[in-house]
Amino acid sequence: MKVALVAPTPSNGAWGGAQRAVAGLQRAIAVERDAEVDLATLAVDESTLPGLIDACDRFHRLDVSAYDRVVSVK
């Protein structure tokens, strides 16, 4: 089974708890479900409303048609 794990990343490149949680989720799905899990991330500027709107639009246009399942974080 092919799974896409879709998650935002901070536009400033910071690495924190959310990113660790996503990495853990990716490993858990791969191991527990014996699945091929691809992480699809997009940088998101959450400091402004236009940045959030742009991120929503880019996530909406993301092509995940090649996957059997899609897990979206946030």
Side-chain angles (χ1 to χ4, degrees):
M1 175 187 323
K2 287 184 67 173
V3 178
L5 180 56
V6 180
T9 58
S11 60
N12 65 3
W15 180 263
Q19 288 72 35
R20 282 192 294 275
V22 169
L25 180 59
Q26 181 181 16
R27 284 189 305 274
I29 293 171
V31 170
E32 295 297 324
R33 298 294 178 201
D34 192 29
E36 177 185 335
V37 185
D38 293 332
L39 181 58
T41 61
L42 293 175
V44 176
D45 177 8
E46 295 183 334
S47 66
T48 66
L49 181 58
L52 288 172
I53 292 171
D54 176 62
C56 288
D57 182 55
R58 288 184 295 126
F59 274 107
H60 174 75
R61 290 185 283 122
L62 196 60
D63 181 11
V64 291
S65 61
Y67 295 93
D68 300 307
R69 299 283 187 267
V70 177
V71 177
S72 179
V73 178
K74 194 170 182 177

